[in-house]
Amino acid sequence: MNPSAYLVLSGIIFSIGALGVLLRRNAIVAFMSVELMLNAANLAFVTGSRVWGQLDGQTAAFFVMVVAAAEVVVGLAIILTIFVALTNRKAFRIKPKEALLLAGYGIIGVAMCQWSYFESISRMPITISLL
């Protein structure tokens, strides 16, 4: 298949994500739109990697996925904290120090999940099956 079709699809997905960020006021929809934009960038990176026969695009796509995972964890934690603070009956305000602490817990959680994933991969036996 022609690589330009993948780049056109990447541009369409990125445009949908950009419109979602610009036109929607809901925070969850905005985060989903940012994820669409990151996935479109991944598709463009992998397409470029395939066209030029190098692994640079796939490496960049991997790092974009890591950033996307961290962004989701931290962003949803902040949104949840704000939601709980606004729906609470008491006059409760989020202090910047508490928000940074919560964001730090999210980043540490992502790093631990990825480390345990790589640890489990390194212990798995390599099996090759021929069909």
Side-chain angles (χ1 to χ4, degrees):
M1 188 169 194
N2 192 1
S4 65
Y6 292 112
L7 291 176
V8 168
L9 178 63
S10 174
I12 291 170
I13 293 172
F14 190 87
S15 300
I16 291 171
L19 286 174
V21 169
L22 293 174
L23 298 178
R24 296 298 209 157
R25 296 183 56 89
N26 189 352
I28 301 293
V29 174
F31 272 108
M32 289 186 339
S33 298
V34 169
E35 290 298 319
L36 272 176
M37 292 167 52
L38 290 173
N39 285 329
N42 282 342
L43 182 59
F45 283 140
V46 172
T47 302
S49 175
R50 172 74 183 215
V51 167
W52 290 301
Q54 296 179 352
L55 293 177
D56 296 340
Q58 293 178 6
T59 305
F62 175 75
F63 283 113
V64 169
M65 286 189 284
V66 170
V67 168
E71 177 252 338
V72 166
V73 169
V74 173
L76 289 178
I78 291 171
I79 289 173
L80 183 64
T81 304
I82 291 172
F83 177 75
V84 168
L86 292 178
T87 58
N88 197 357
R89 297 284 181 188
K90 298 177 184 176
F92 176 74
R93 295 184 183 259
I94 300 172
K95 298 175 185 172
K97 188 175 181 181
E98 293 172 356
L100 287 175
L101 183 65
L102 186 60
Y105 286 145
I107 292 171
I108 291 170
V110 168
M112 289 175 63
C113 288
Q114 290 172 353
W115 183 46
S116 64
Y117 173 73
F118 288 122
E119 284 289 317
S120 66
I121 287 178
S122 65
R123 293 183 186 151
M124 289 173 39
I126 299 173
T127 59
I128 299 174
S129 62
L130 300 174
L131 299 177

